Amino acid sequence: MAAFTKILDTEEPSISINASHKISKINDNIYGGFTEHMGRCIYGGIYDPGNPLSDENGFRKDVIEALQELKVPVVRYPGGNFVATYHWLDGVGPKDQRPPRPELAWLGLETNEFGTDEFLHWCEVVRTEPYLALNFGTGTLDEALGWVEYCNSSANTYYANLRRKNGREKPYNVKYWALGNEMWGPWQVGQMTKEDYAKRAYQWAKALKLLDPSIQLILCGQDGYSTWDSYVLKECIRCDIHGLGGDTTASLISMHSIHIYTASSEHLPNATAPRSAERAIEITAGLIDLARIENKVPPTVPRQTICFDEWNVWDPLRAPGEQGAEENRYTLSDALAVSIWLNVFIRQSRYIGMANIAQSVNVISPLVTTKSGILKQTTWWPLLLFSKYMRGHTLAVNVRCGEYEGPTMPVWIRGTIETPWLDVSAAISDDGMISMAVVNIHETKDFSVRLDGIEGSDVQVYTVSGRDINVVNTSDSCEVGITESTWDGANSFSFPKLSLTMLRWKS
Ligand code: AHR
């Protein structure tokens, strides 16, 4: 949480922080990833058999190392829009018997060479947790039940035995399951009305939890501030004792998924666009509480959280989905936007159960593979800094500074949430290190800021910046990276124009 006080641009800005003002635990799962059968994310991204950079499973080792460096805790799969026509049985068993199928989300061909066992094995190699999305388009409840049984059951039953036959004795214990993806979207195979979706989601949830009460189910929301969100929450966040064998301390639905992509061709609307996600989180959290209140959900049932399982900077005109959405190249402006996205998740940590950058490799991703290596885009660096250091608990900060007052994307940001020049979040880790992230979006102005509450004289400083807003990283040159320095903690600190600065000190 950050309290913002607007001042004149001519006044001295200040930021106050207090190590004892902890707000909420930051769920490590906010640093989640997403791998979809789309473009070069799976084939040529995480899976590239025959490439000297791949291991004996065909998994790209450089991608595995990068995701381990990011400490990605959870990865969503297999879509995205792809999942709406995906039949998981096509992707298990001997590879030479798997059927190639037309793929209707991105109009490609799916060979099914990479499927459930490959993905779940890959997760074990990466040391990350899987999050699977169920097919709500052409799929059936029987198929979904079969998939959960295949992945999680240790019983002597058909699909558990099929898994054993395919070479895997012990269950994978997949905890997170999504009840469809973007089922409200006109592009979706099997698009539904909110009424049809809510009815189906609730009945599927009941059956899935009867089969495996340990799983966590994620409801398919929209962007968090739509009629779809309020309706499906009201219908599905209930007192569920019938589906849970009389247990009044559990619920069928654990999280509500929302998706937002931000973008603008202009720097300041681009950099401030993630503030719309912040407002969306606040609204969704209100809708969750409203459903709980109206449906008399007892306080013994843990509050449902938000699963922001697709977020990023993405302009579909710049990187069309049908062409694999391989982002031309992310700019410094995009890196600052991603920094503000991450600040949003830290500030709103009390409501966020998971967040997944879309996507983990090649498709609108901070990581791009070539045949001979991996390119770390501008957006990789803020992600790395946050994932390394912004863990533990969110700290309250008070920010006094001027505000950008021009056009925003979307327009409704103006009038619903502020867009300060300095976007700030802070966290305290379990070992007492405080990390404060400050994004200065101004194109020409460095801000000299009075910092109240920084203790000691040994402050580590990490800066992500670059020559100008349009600069990009290429395989030959890393124009935007992390520079490290120290600060003695005295007087004011100058936050350079167009930068993310992370200050770290011991409390
Ligand atoms: O991440 C790319 C696509 O964007 C996903 O498949 C879909 O869910 C969203 O619209």
Side-chain angles (χ1 to χ4, degrees):
M1 189 180 130
F4 171 58
T5 304
K6 182 176 175 177
I7 59 170
L8 296 174
D9 276 348
T10 47
E11 292 178 80
E12 187 194 28
S14 66
I15 300 173
S16 321
I17 186 166
N18 184 322
S20 67
H21 294 181
K22 283 189 189 175
I23 301 285
S24 49
K25 177 98 186 86
I26 299 165
N27 195 316
D28 285 340
N29 283 349
I30 67 168
Y31 299 112
F34 172 32
T35 53
E36 174 167 6
H37 284 251
M38 175 181 179
R40 293 195 313 118
C41 182
I42 302 292
Y43 301 109
I46 67 173
Y47 181 68
D48 198 4
N51 190 306
L53 295 173
S54 298
D55 67 11
E56 66 286 2
N57 304 298
F59 302 158
R60 277 285 290 251
K61 287 185 283 192
D62 48 356
V63 174
I64 291 170
E65 278 160 25
L67 296 178
Q68 285 174 340
E69 190 185 2
L70 266 192
K71 292 197 257 162
V72 174
V74 58
V75 178
R76 181 174 180 243
Y77 174 85
N81 296 342
F82 170 81
V83 78
T85 58
Y86 181 61
H87 298 289
W88 68 271
L89 273 166
D90 290 344
V92 296
K95 287 197 179 181
D96 59 359
Q97 288 167 33
R98 295 187 192 174
R101 301 270 190 206
E103 192 287 299
L104 301 184
W106 311 110
L107 302 180
L109 183 146
E110 176 52 53
T111 63
N112 285 305
E113 197 182 329
F114 188 96
T116 302
D117 290 293
E118 289 75 25
F119 176 70
L120 296 176
H121 182 197
W122 178 82
C123 286
E124 289 176 342
V125 175
V126 175
R127 295 190 292 278
T128 191
E129 209 169 337
Y131 163 23
L132 296 179
L134 296 166
N135 176 356
F136 259 57
T138 59
T140 64
L141 174 55
D142 274 340
E143 243 180 301
L145 289 164
W147 205 9
V148 173
E149 183 192 322
Y150 184 91
C151 294
N152 289 0
S153 175
S154 51
N156 180 17
T157 51
Y158 179 79
Y159 288 112
N161 286 334
L162 182 62
R163 184 195 67 235
R164 292 184 185 103
K165 188 172 152 212
N166 290 339
R168 171 76 183 203
E169 176 55 40
K170 50 173 194 142
Y172 292 105
N173 294 324
V174 178
K175 181 160 140 197
Y176 302 110
W177 295 83
L179 298 164
N181 170 72
E182 295 187 355
M183 293 313 299
W184 43 270
W187 52 86
Q188 207 63 245
V189 173
Q191 181 195 3
M192 288 176 192
T193 62
K194 58 187 185 314
E195 291 82 5
D196 286 347
Y197 174 77
K199 196 169 164 191
R200 199 170 190 218
Y202 194 81
Q203 294 308 320
W204 281 40
K206 189 168 62 184
L208 292 160
K209 289 284 262 193
L210 287 169
L211 176 67
D212 184 348
S214 74
I215 60 176
Q216 294 204 5
L217 293 172
I218 292 110
L219 196 59
C220 167
Q222 190 173 331
D223 46 26
Y225 49 89
S226 69
T227 313
W228 174 284
D229 291 287
S230 69
Y231 184 86
V232 301
L233 281 166
K234 176 70 199 303
E235 291 303 304
C236 297
I237 302 252
R238 300 196 215 154
C239 187
D240 307 302
I241 48 172
H242 299 299
L244 296 162
D247 185 352
T248 53
T249 62
S251 64
L252 290 181
I253 304 297
S254 300
M255 289 187 261
H256 180 73
S257 140
I258 60 175
H259 295 173
I260 293 180
Y261 293 97
T262 60
S264 168
S265 53
E266 300 295 318
H267 164 60
L268 288 167
N270 186 44
T272 53
R275 292 286 278 164
S276 62
E278 184 140 27
R279 196 71 191 109
I281 291 168
E282 291 167 344
I283 294 168
T284 313
L287 293 176
I288 290 172
D289 284 355
L290 186 62
R292 289 175 64 93
I293 294 164
E294 289 190 339
N295 293 335
K296 300 189 172 42
V297 176
T300 45
V301 174
R303 194 192 208 178
Q304 287 76 10
T305 53
I306 296 167
C307 181
F308 219 127
D309 54 15
E310 287 185 32
W311 70 268
N312 205 347
V313 175
W314 180 21
D315 178 355
L317 292 178
R318 210 163 116 194
E322 291 71 18
Q323 291 163 28
E326 193 146 339
E327 185 66 49
N328 296 339
R329 283 302 167 252
Y330 280 115
T331 63
L332 174 60
S333 177
D334 298 327
L336 299 182
V338 163
S339 307
I340 295 184
W341 263 106
L342 293 163
N343 269 349
V344 167
F345 294 136
I346 298 299
R347 287 193 291 258
Q348 300 296 332
S349 66
R350 67 172 70 179
Y351 301 128
I352 308 287
M354 190 191 298
N356 308 70
I357 190 166
Q359 299 187 357
S360 290
V361 59
N362 288 337
V363 175
I364 44 170
S365 174
L367 287 178
V368 178
T369 59
T370 63
K371 280 280 164 219
S372 57
I374 201 163
L375 161 67
K376 290 173 175 167
Q377 299 231 51
T378 60
T379 51
W380 163 266
W381 303 102
L383 197 57
L384 181 66
L385 267 186
F386 272 76
S387 179
K388 263 179 140 165
Y389 299 129
M390 297 295 268
R391 295 194 185 241
H393 283 79
T394 298
L395 282 183
V397 282
N398 288 286
V399 181
R400 287 175 72 254
C401 68
E403 185 181 10
Y404 163 64
E405 290 174 339
T408 59
M409 184 67 97
V411 172
W412 62 256
I413 288 181
R414 189 69 62 235
T416 58
I417 193 160
E418 312 91 339
T419 49
W421 290 120
L422 299 173
D423 191 278
V424 185
S425 77
I428 182 163
S429 57
D430 296 342
D431 62 2
M433 284 298 285
I434 297 180
S435 303
M436 184 170 77
V438 180
V439 188
N440 177 1
I441 59 173
H442 207 291
E443 278 172 87
T444 55
K445 215 169 156 179
D446 303 342
F447 286 105
S448 173
V449 179
R450 206 185 69 233
L451 298 174
D452 299 325
I454 293 195
E455 292 151 31
S457 56
D458 189 14
V459 180
Q460 291 163 270
V461 182
Y462 301 87
T463 312
V464 177
S465 191
R467 226 176 329 112
D468 62 66
I469 47 168
N470 294 316
V471 72
V472 297
N473 287 351
T474 66
S475 297
D476 300 325
S477 70
C478 186
E479 296 285 330
V480 175
I482 299 173
T483 55
E484 292 187 35
S485 55
T486 54
W487 176 52
D488 64 7
N491 304 320
S492 299
F493 186 89
S494 180
F495 293 97
K497 65 181 182 190
L498 297 175
S499 67
L500 159 68
T501 306
M502 192 173 287
L503 301 180
R504 301 194 73 232
W505 68 95
K506 182 91 183 144
S507 67

